[in-house]
Amino acid sequence: MTTSTIVLLIYLLFLVPAMLVGFGFARRKLFRPHHKMVMTTITLVNWALIIAVMIGSYGGNVAPYLSTGISQPSLLLPTLHLITGAIAQVLATYLVILMWFEKSLPKFMVTHKIKTPMRLTLSLWLITAVLGLGIYIVWNAPASSADSLAPVATDEVPVATDVVPTDSTTEPVMTEESVSDDEPVMTDEPVETEEPVMTPES
């Protein structure tokens, strides 16, 4: 089982159900300890997955190729996942700190209107989880069957001709340009030589 499969299962079987359970506790005003403990657990597990898996995965599989554009799903989905997940995680971390240290925090960090931030956090978490599922499908999609086919000949491939290459041992052909004036020309016709005529003077 791959790391991406394990992360996906953690989200589908644990984190997403826990998010919905925590939302249910908040709706019933069971903030302490129910909602507080569920929210804290989700946030800590999320940070562990981000640090252990997601930062390295994005840095190795996405960031080096962003210069080519992010229109491809394999780059666009992780980038959207990063944006929504980062916002949700920062909000969740703030809410958890507020739950645990409300009385000791500076006044400018304390807000009692937490319903909107909590709902926004839940919405972004769920969107991030859906994007994570999309990333898993895109990155683990089986290779197209066309990839396994033999390469198809195209017009760019040189076309074989009927010209038969000559044997490397064939004697070079003598041409007029290659024959000098001082050397006799070799031909296939027999050369007739005149025999000396015998005369009485000879």
Side-chain angles (χ1 to χ4, degrees), residues 165-188:
T166 58
D167 190 352
S168 60
T169 60
T170 304
E171 294 289 335
V173 179
M174 302 296 291
T175 61
E176 293 180 3
E177 292 80 7
S178 62
V179 178
S180 64
D181 296 335
D182 298 332
E183 294 180 3
V185 177
M186 302 296 294
T187 62
D188 293 337

Side-chain angles (χ1 to χ4, degrees), residues 16-89:
V16 171
M19 293 172 189
L20 299 177
V21 170
F23 178 73
F25 285 147
R27 288 292 300 270
R28 291 185 289 170
K29 301 186 183 302
L30 299 174
F31 296 107
R32 293 180 175 85
H34 304 79
H35 179 73
K36 178 180 178 179
M37 295 305 299
V38 171
M39 189 79 171
T40 301
T41 302
I42 295 172
T43 304
L44 292 177
V45 172
N46 251 334
W47 273 122
L49 293 176
I50 290 171
I51 295 172
V53 179
M54 297 181 187
I55 292 177
S57 179
Y58 189 88
N61 299 321
V62 180
Y65 307 102
L66 290 178
S67 59
T68 62
I70 61 172
S71 58
Q72 299 180 20
S74 59
L75 301 179
L76 177 61
L77 290 178
T79 302
L80 294 176
H81 179 85
L82 170 65
I83 295 172
T84 59
I87 297 173
Q89 193 64 18

Side-chain angles (χ1 to χ4, degrees), residues 131-160:
L131 290 171
L133 178 60
I135 294 170
Y136 181 85
I137 294 173
V138 171
W139 283 8
N140 295 277
S144 174
S145 59
D147 296 339
S148 60
L149 297 177
V152 179
T154 63
D155 295 337
E156 298 177 359
V157 179
V159 179

Side-chain angles (χ1 to χ4, degrees), residues 94 105-111:
Y94 166 73
L105 290 175
K107 290 184 178 180
F108 71 91
M109 293 184 62
V110 178
T111 177

